[in-house]
Amino acid sequence: MEKPGLNAAKDYKDYQEEFLKRKKLNTFKERRKEGRTMHTRLSVALIIAGILGLVLQGMSLAVPSWRSSYMGLIGYATRRHWGLFTVWGSRSQMHHTVSSDTCAWSSQLIVLNSCLSPICKWYLLKCQRYFDLMLFSYGTGVVIVLCWIIQVLCVVWSFIFSTRTIRFAATWYPVIALFSLAGTIFWVVMTEVMFQELDEKSFYPVPPIGASFIASVGAIVCQIANSIMARQLKYMWPEIDPDDPHQFSSSEDDEDDSDEDSDEETKPKKAKAKGAAHPPQVQQVQQVGFAPQQEGGPQERQWFYQDQMGNVQGPFPTSQMQQWYASGTFPADMPLRAETEATFTPLGDGSRFAQAAGPAPAGLTVPGGGSRSSTISTVSKAQMPGLSTGGDDTGSAS
């Protein structure tokens, strides 16, 4: 009949192995190969920038303030604001209404089918330029409205965040940014030329750019940022091609494996350098009865363990691992593996160290390996790479 403690330890070991297995299958590399996307900081930034761009572009469409004149003119002392669809002065009018009214006034000044008076020529010029302004404004407004609708779809695709919707967003965000930028520049340049011509013929100061134009520029900046972030996400989470078995070829995997191998190679060197830089620790190990290994003698098995942050520490010889376990430094659920093992498993009762060490030298207590008279001096957890505590733990066995 098995003891309850052994059953609990076995269940915990099975749970730990299942947890490590699931953790390995839930890495970025595995999720990327299977197309199982997940939101990251970059995707959240993409959504926030997309919503901000929608708000700014909506303001530029709704508020008629692309150009604003705060200077009153003779016969028209009210300030005026020009938008993409309306002109806001003493009253709000659509561009086609302003153009038709101005042309109607100029036609009333024509006498005998001729426009010879200065006031008639002035209103005739305004009729022509206001008609041009109507075309410029409505054309730019339609383009920006279409871009705004597509941007709404891009934000929705970013929320869904599948490999296909990421590709859609990465495709359309640059198109939105390009057409919004082109429409904004076109409207500003053409209206600047129009108002300068009116100012040359009479006193008609060119109205400076207004708040709606600034909002539109801010929206374009957000769209450009979205284009860059969406492109990065597209390469992070590519759409799986079932006809391309080498889509996730060994090039990237080899790079990752080489990085892991280099890390494994450098960690022993760092551990040796760290031990050489701290000779007091070596002296303390000698105090507990673990003598340095003689050249030509049997090689001790080396061990690796995972610290509290999940970093791999090691390698360390069996004698040193026995010392740390006997002092109570290692918890029973700490993952570790021998140099000949491929996966990390919980430490348990420490019997693995005794089996690896074989017969223990006289005067040494082996945890889990029987009672042998010895006294183990203090070992501080602060000496353990990756393990820290508020003070030193003291353990003894006899």
Side-chain angles (χ1 to χ4, degrees), residues 196-397:
Q196 285 181 357
E197 184 178 359
L198 292 176
D199 190 42
E200 291 176 358
K201 300 298 181 180
S202 179
F203 181 70
Y204 204 105
V206 178
I209 59 176
S212 296
F213 174 81
I214 297 175
S216 179
V217 172
I220 294 172
V221 172
C222 292
Q223 292 166 0
I224 295 175
N226 286 338
S227 302
I228 298 173
M229 291 187 289
R231 186 175 181 83
Q232 292 178 350
L233 288 171
K234 177 184 175 181
Y235 286 107
M236 286 177 59
W237 305 101
E239 192 171 4
I240 299 177
D241 185 4
D243 298 329
D244 185 8
H246 304 290
Q247 181 179 7
F248 303 97
S249 58
S250 59
S251 58
E252 298 180 358
D253 296 339
D254 291 344
E255 293 178 0
D256 296 338
D257 294 340
S258 62
D259 293 340
E260 294 178 358
D261 294 340
S262 62
D263 292 341
E264 293 293 336
E265 292 175 0
T266 55
K267 284 179 181 178
K269 296 180 181 179
K270 291 181 180 179
K272 292 180 181 179
K274 186 175 181 180
H278 300 281
Q281 295 185 10
V282 178
Q283 295 177 3
Q284 189 168 4
V285 171
Q286 293 176 359
Q287 291 175 4
V288 299
F290 294 99
Q293 190 168 340
Q294 301 294 330
E295 295 183 0
Q299 297 292 329
E300 289 189 273
R301 179 176 293 184
Q302 303 294 317
W303 298 83
F304 298 86
Y305 70 89
Q306 289 183 342
D307 59 21
Q308 299 171 353
M309 301 301 295
N311 299 321
V312 178
Q313 304 290 346
F316 301 103
T318 302
S319 57
Q320 190 169 1
M321 298 295 285
Q322 285 179 314
Q323 169 205 348
W324 284 332
Y325 175 73
S327 65
T329 303
F330 287 146
D333 59 347
M334 186 190 69
L336 82 160
R337 67 174 179 86
E339 58 184 345
T340 58
E341 298 174 350
T343 60
F344 287 87
T345 55
L347 170 61
D349 58 358
S351 60
R352 299 164 63 184
F353 296 149
Q355 296 174 0
L364 172 64
T365 296
V366 180
S371 60
R372 300 177 184 177
S373 59
S374 176
T375 300
I376 299 178
S377 60
T378 303
V379 179
S380 174
K381 289 184 181 181
Q383 298 174 3
M384 293 293 299
L387 298 178
S388 60
T389 183
D392 294 344
D393 296 336
T394 304
S396 63

Side-chain angles (χ1 to χ4, degrees), residues 62 90 94 96 122-123 151 273 301 307 386:
S90 57
M94 299 290 288
H96 64 273
W122 170 245
Y123 272 95
Q151 188 171 356
R301 179 176 293 184
D307 59 21

Side-chain angles (χ1 to χ4, degrees), residues 99-179:
S99 176
S100 60
D101 291 346
T102 306
C103 293
W105 294 336
S106 65
S107 63
Q108 294 176 4
L109 298 173
I110 296 176
V111 179
L112 298 176
N113 293 328
S114 61
C115 183
L116 301 177
S117 63
I119 189 66
C120 179
K121 294 180 180 180
W122 170 245
Y123 272 95
L124 182 61
L125 178 63
K126 287 179 64 176
C127 170
Q128 297 170 352
R129 296 300 167 257
Y130 282 1
F131 181 80
D132 295 339
L133 178 62
M134 177 190 68
L135 296 180
F136 302 153
S137 300
Y138 283 170
T140 303
V142 170
V143 171
I144 292 182
V145 167
L146 292 177
C147 291
W148 189 86
I149 295 174
I150 298 175
Q151 188 171 356
V152 171
L153 295 176
C154 289
V155 172
V156 174
W157 292 332
S158 302
F159 268 112
I160 298 174
F161 205 69
S162 64
T163 55
R164 177 165 297 182
T165 58
I166 293 172
R167 178 170 61 86
F168 290 162
T171 302
W172 282 103
Y173 263 126
V175 177
I176 295 170
L178 178 61
F179 277 88

